[in-house]
Amino acid sequence: MELADEIKANVPEAEVSGCVGRRSSFEVTVNGKLVYSKLEKGGFPVFKEVVQVILDCSQGNEPAEVEETEPTSCSLL
């Protein structure tokens, strides 16, 4: 929901939907193209980069792949 809120705040005309997938998955699809997969990248995307991809698409550009992941704060003891 946090990403959806960020998108709607920056691109109000964007249609945002979500669904529960398999455990540990988090994927972002823009205009039918997968632009980010947590299973492939190992973490959550940087939301600002996702928003930028959507802004670019709203101006007629093709969706670009999101490369950056948020740093993890998990530590194993």
Side-chain angles (χ1 to χ4, degrees), residues 5-71:
D5 292 342
E6 186 87 18
I7 292 168
K8 293 302 281 181
N10 289 279
V11 191
E13 67 276 9
E15 293 180 29
V16 180
S17 63
C19 64
V20 176
R22 58 187 174 179
R23 186 178 164 113
S24 299
S25 69
F26 185 88
E27 296 181 334
V28 179
T29 304
V30 178
N31 293 343
K33 179 183 176 191
L34 180 66
V35 297
Y36 189 85
S37 171
K38 179 182 171 214
L39 294 172
E40 290 177 13
K41 303 285 186 178
F44 287 99
V46 172
F47 288 173
K48 289 182 182 200
E49 188 177 353
V50 174
V51 169
Q52 187 59 53
V53 167
I54 294 167
L55 280 168
D56 293 345
C57 288
S58 73
Q59 297 172 358
N61 296 314
E62 288 295 314
E65 190 171 320
V66 174
E67 296 293 334
E68 289 185 69
T69 59
E70 289 289 342

